Amino acid sequence: MSFLRGEEQPDHGCDLCSRYRRRAVYQIARGLGANVIAFGHTADDFCESFLRNALFTGRVSALPPITYSRERDFRLIRPLVYVTEDVTARFAESLGAPVIPCGCSQRAGAVRRTLRDVLGGLEQQYPHLKETLLSAMGKIETGRLLDPRYLDLDGAVEAEETNPFTVVG
């Protein structure tokens, strides 16, 4: 499978492209004898993933910053989690490196493209929106969600922990 060029528009979703790219990266890493792979996902990718999962899969999740390959032969890290895509693009440009976006996410009407556009529009009014979303991903208040594993149905948790408006006197 050759890598997609920017002008090619695949009919399938990003999952298939991702699988092929990941397979190629794993083959190269094996050839080099590496056991850690750093992916270039940026803060933008984490925010888009968070929104995509919440809006379209009904899950509160995003990309894991550190995980393992299915066979656990590679530790997968995403060190650019707090770096925005515009910063990485400017850095790549300063090196003269090409920036080749995924064709899937660039298509008009694609969920990724739509979320990217929505976030971009909101950030014009609220410049620190991505920072706030990233912060939210690290400050989950499980007792304020609907997952029954975390609901305090028997009142075991102290009132001030679950209700910030409780007056302690």
Side-chain angles (χ1 to χ4, degrees):
M1 167 92 186
S2 63
F3 287 96
L4 296 172
R5 292 179 192 32
E7 67 274 359
E8 294 177 37
Q9 299 296 319
D11 293 331
H12 50 77
C14 285
D15 292 340
L16 186 60
C17 289
S18 174
R19 196 171 306 128
Y20 284 123
R21 284 193 312 267
R22 194 169 33 247
R23 183 183 304 159
V25 168
Y26 289 178
Q27 287 174 346
I28 292 167
R30 274 189 196 93
L32 294 171
N35 63 356
V36 178
I37 298 171
F39 288 122
H41 295 102
T42 63
D44 300 58
D45 297 312
F46 277 80
C47 292
E48 292 161 17
S49 174
F50 178 74
L51 291 175
R52 191 175 59 253
N53 284 327
L55 295 171
F56 296 98
T57 70
R59 292 178 299 143
V60 176
S61 76
L63 295 167
I66 300 172
T67 191
Y68 288 86
S69 60
R70 184 174 294 148
E71 315 292 318
R72 298 196 62 82
D73 46 349
F74 298 109
R75 184 165 52 116
L76 311 173
I77 63 173
R78 294 179 172 96
L80 300 178
V81 59
Y82 295 110
V83 181
T84 59
E85 193 165 294
D86 62 322
V87 170
T88 59
R90 285 196 314 266
F91 180 70
E93 183 180 314
S94 76
L95 297 175
V99 175
I100 304 169
C102 172
C104 300
S105 62
Q106 300 304 311
R107 277 192 316 207
V111 170
R112 288 174 189 254
R113 176 82 257 160
T114 301
L115 288 175
R116 182 163 291 198
D117 293 345
V118 166
L119 277 172
L122 285 170
E123 270 212 313
Q124 289 177 359
Q125 273 188 289
Y126 308 101
H128 301 288
L129 186 66
K130 289 176 193 154
E131 292 170 28
T132 304
L133 276 173
L134 289 169
S135 178
M137 287 182 234
K139 297 176 183 169
I140 307 295
E141 294 185 21
T142 57
R144 295 187 173 270
L145 299 174
L146 301 178
D147 189 328
R149 295 174 297 177
Y150 304 112
L151 293 176
D152 182 23
L153 300 176
D154 59 2
V157 178
E158 294 292 322
E160 53 274 358
E161 286 183 35
T162 58
N163 185 352
F165 302 107
T166 302
V167 177
V168 179

